[in-house]
Structure formats: C-alpha cells, structure tokens
C-alpha cells in the first residue's frame, strides 16, 4: 500500500499544483484541491509507513487546508459564480441593461471589433465615487506573463457582450499604446493619453 501511495502522492501533488495554478475558475480550482487532498492523504500513508513524523504532521495539516480549499472553491465560490451567471443570463432576457460580473473581468481574453483575440485583461480600476470602471489594463505578447506588454484602455474603448469582451481598437492600435509597468498603474485614465 505504501509503495502505491509513494507513486500517487507526487503525481497527485504535481497535477493539483498545475490545476490550481491555471486558475480556470472556481470549479476547476476546487477540483485541484480534491487532487491535492488525494496527494496529501497519500503522503500521510507514505510518512506513516516510513516513520517520518515531519512529513506526517505537515501533510495532516495540508489535508485540513485542502478540505478548506474544497469548501471554498467547490462550495462557496462556485455558488457565487453561479449567482453571477444567473443574473447575467436573466438580465439578457429582459429589457433592462445586461449585466456582467466585474470579478470575471480579470484574466478574460480581449477581442477586437471582429472578435479576434488581441490580448488578455490583467486587471481593472474602478472609480470610488461613481463605482464605474475607469480603465482596464490589457496584456499582449509574451508567454504566461513573461515578456508581456501591458497597455491601458479606457472603459469607453471596451464593449462587454454575451459573445465576450471586445475593444474598439485593433491589435495594431493596442500595441501602439504606451506601455504600463506592472507595478505602477496610473492614477487616472487620462494619464495614459499623454
């Protein structure tokens, strides 16, 4: 049994790390924690069979952490995403303005007017007084954030619809915008116009 657990433990841990690092939504992240739980239980078996109390204690603790992760991502967060999705769907069916969950802006693909992907949304800034979105920061180029270039788009250059998030700009126009540094975003959207 401990020999099988010795193979399951590292494979499950590595697979779970990849799943949760991908951050593909609440349910996928939640299933990453389920796989992490399998890994931590397997490590507990390995630790008990080989007499390694440090490995045993750390993985007993990680088992508790993984149960909390499952509750948070497959329970609470998944229900919140379901609620936001239901509001989005219902708003599209009635004459009221359509809704889009602000929390889902980050890491969403951005298309041009034709729907061709031109970047990925890195984040958004909201005005405190009005609650309106002032601007989004879009990453383009690079791979997994490495050598990615960030650009600021005013919110009026963006359209959110059931078919995704699109910009009025082309890929070339996006690339021509000044770059924003990852650690210093502007205090106002107008600053990017300079």
């Amino acid at each position: 049994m401990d020999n099988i657990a010795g193979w399951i433990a590292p494979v499950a841990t590595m697979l779970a790390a990849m799943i949760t690092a991908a951050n593909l939504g609440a349910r996928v992240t939640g299933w990453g924690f389920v796989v992490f739980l399998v890994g931590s239980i397997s490590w507990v078996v390995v630790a008990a069979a080989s007499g390694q109390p440090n490995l045993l204690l750390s993985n007993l603790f990680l088992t508790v952490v993984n149960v909390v992760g499952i509750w948070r991502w497959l329970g609470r967060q998944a229900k919140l995403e379901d609620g936001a999705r239901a509001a989005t769907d219902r708003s599209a069916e009635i004459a009221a303005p359509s809704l889009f969950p602000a929390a889902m802006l980050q890491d969403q693909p951005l298309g041009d007017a034709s729907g061709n992907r031109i970047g990925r949304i890195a984040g958004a800034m909201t005005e405190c007084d009005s609650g309106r979105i002032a601007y989004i920061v879009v990453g383009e180029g690079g791979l997994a954030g490495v050598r990615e270039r960030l650009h600021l788009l005013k919110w009026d250059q963006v359209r959110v619809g059931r078919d995704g998030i699109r910009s009025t700009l082309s890929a070339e126009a996006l690339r021509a915008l000044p770059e924003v540094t990852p650690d210093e975003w502007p205090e106002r959207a107008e600053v990017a116009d300079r």
Side-chain angles (χ1 to χ4, degrees), residues 42-68:
S42 298
W43 282 118
V44 166
V45 170
V46 169
S50 60
Q52 298 181 61
N54 55 345
L55 186 62
L56 178 67
L57 288 174
S58 63
N59 279 283
L60 285 172
F61 174 77
L62 289 175
T63 298
V64 173
V65 170
N66 294 329
V67 169
V68 171

Side-chain angles (χ1 to χ4, degrees), residues 120-181:
R120 183 165 287 282
I121 299 173
M125 294 301 290
T126 307
E127 297 172 354
C128 292
D129 293 341
S130 68
R132 298 179 70 188
I133 296 173
Y135 67 81
I136 62 172
V137 174
V138 177
E140 55 89 15
L143 179 64
V146 177
R147 300 186 59 97
E148 175 182 54
R149 292 169 303 281
L150 300 175
H151 307 281
L152 180 148
L153 265 74
K154 290 183 181 180
W155 190 241
D156 62 6
Q157 297 172 304
V158 178
R159 301 291 177 263
V160 178
R162 294 191 58 76
D163 57 347
I165 305 169
R166 296 183 181 189
S167 173
T168 57
L169 301 179
S170 66
E172 296 77 28
L174 176 67
R175 281 192 293 274
L177 293 173
E179 286 190 42
V180 175
T181 60

